Amino acid sequence: MAVRLPRPHRDDVRIALGGLLGGLLLYAVGLGVRPADEPIVLWPDSRAPLLPLVVTAGCELLRRAMPRTALLIGTVAVTVDLFTRGSLATVLMFTDLMYAAVLYGRVATARRILWITGLFTVAGTVVPVAVWRVPEALLVGVGVGLVALTPAATGWIVRNHRDTAAAERLRAEQTALLAEIDRTQAVTAERARMARELHDMVANHLSAIAIHSTAALSLDDPKTSKDALAVIRENSVEGLAEMRRLIGILRDESGDREPSAAPTLDGLESLVVSARANGLDVTLDARHEARLPAPVELAAYRIVQECLTNALKHSSPGHVTVTLAQLDGALTVRVTSPYGDRDGPRAPGSGAGLVGMEERVALLDGTFEAGPEGAGPVKVWTVRATLPITHRTHRSPGTPGTPGTHGGTE
């Protein structure tokens, strides 16, 4: 079965042709490394150097694909060339094979070549000096170092630089990938935050508009229609103001615009007054410290706002209770509203309100529950959120493991 050799690289083909043609040119002009009468020359025939030259040129074709094999064969060829008149092209191509074996070969092979060439250089220096005891014997070690150790050391240095560059390039790609992941996560988190804020700010006004416009269309009473239109206009103006403020912040690229103050628990009274103006019977019972952490106050305010919006859209006629109590380092928000069939018009809901409340509570590492309570015809829809006041580790929105049962529709 024939052995199929790998296809040589085009640069290796150029090196092999250049070395072969250079060696043939030196042979044509009669230039050799040693005179024919030197004792080391065992084959003084002028054609003897051609065989090692051709073999070494053939090894150059494998310098990249099979560097260790090429070096072994090239070593045999240059050893044979040592006992002929020799060719400078053969020696130069052998140094390139040594360089390529360290550069392209396995790491273990490269280290082994360095050790072997170093030992040969030392031996080529010490042994001739010890045997001949003349200064000229040092030239043997210099020759071995130039032919073997120098190209091997050069290949090792180039290999280290190449591996370092590859590692730095990989590290840069990984850093860019991590930066892109962070950017995507930041954009996703910001979009989710904007969606929550937009929903919480506008849903209340739009729900009131939908309820009262439906009532105005369904009831043939001029006074009722006039009152409904007044409520619609008030909520439209407030909703547009909120939208304009948010859009202004998003469009401001200079960063000079100061964001408006986040809602606090001091605004719950006006929130309840607005809900009563929209037709809800609401009672507020707030017992907490004068000042709580800003994230806790914002989350509690938005939860109450969303609960009142849902009560306006879905609850049956009846009393709505909002209770805030601070106990054991946590603020508990509890909102109850009548649960059952509503006789009046309803506003459509998408369920995003419950998701937004759950995410806000999860960001503070709190607990959230929402669902009907009670038995028989008398049921209430209860939303209960516990917000830790002390500093605790926050989780990202949607993190599994948040306790509580979530049900119903917005």
Side-chain angles (χ1 to χ4, degrees), residues 3-63:
V3 179
R4 187 174 182 180
L5 296 178
R7 184 175 181 179
H9 193 274
R10 58 183 180 181
D11 292 338
D12 298 342
V13 174
R14 295 192 184 105
I15 294 174
L17 287 177
L20 180 61
L21 294 177
L24 293 176
L25 179 61
L26 293 176
Y27 173 78
V29 297
L31 293 179
V33 178
R34 291 169 292 275
D37 57 351
E38 188 172 324
I40 196 175
V41 177
L42 301 181
W43 294 282
D45 187 357
S46 61
R47 293 175 295 180
L50 292 179
L51 177 60
L53 175 67
V54 174
V55 172
T56 308
C59 291
E60 288 282 22
L61 298 175
L62 305 176
R63 64 187 294 274

Side-chain angles (χ1 to χ4, degrees), residues 393-404:
T393 303
H394 291 187
R395 290 196 297 263
S396 59
T399 302
T402 302

Side-chain angles (χ1 to χ4, degrees), residues 205-259:
H205 301 299
L206 294 182
S207 298
I209 292 172
I211 293 293
H212 287 85
S213 61
T214 304
L217 292 173
S218 60
L219 300 177
D220 189 13
D221 184 356
K223 184 178 182 307
T224 302
S225 299
K226 184 176 180 180
D227 295 341
L229 290 176
V231 175
I232 290 173
R233 183 185 183 282
E234 179 182 356
N235 282 276
S236 299
V237 171
E238 293 179 359
L240 286 174
E242 295 283 358
M243 286 288 293
R244 192 177 296 112
R245 180 186 66 82
L246 181 60
I247 293 174
I249 293 176
L250 295 177
R251 286 181 174 175
D252 183 25
E253 299 180 356
S254 63
D256 297 333
R257 182 191 294 263
E258 291 290 336

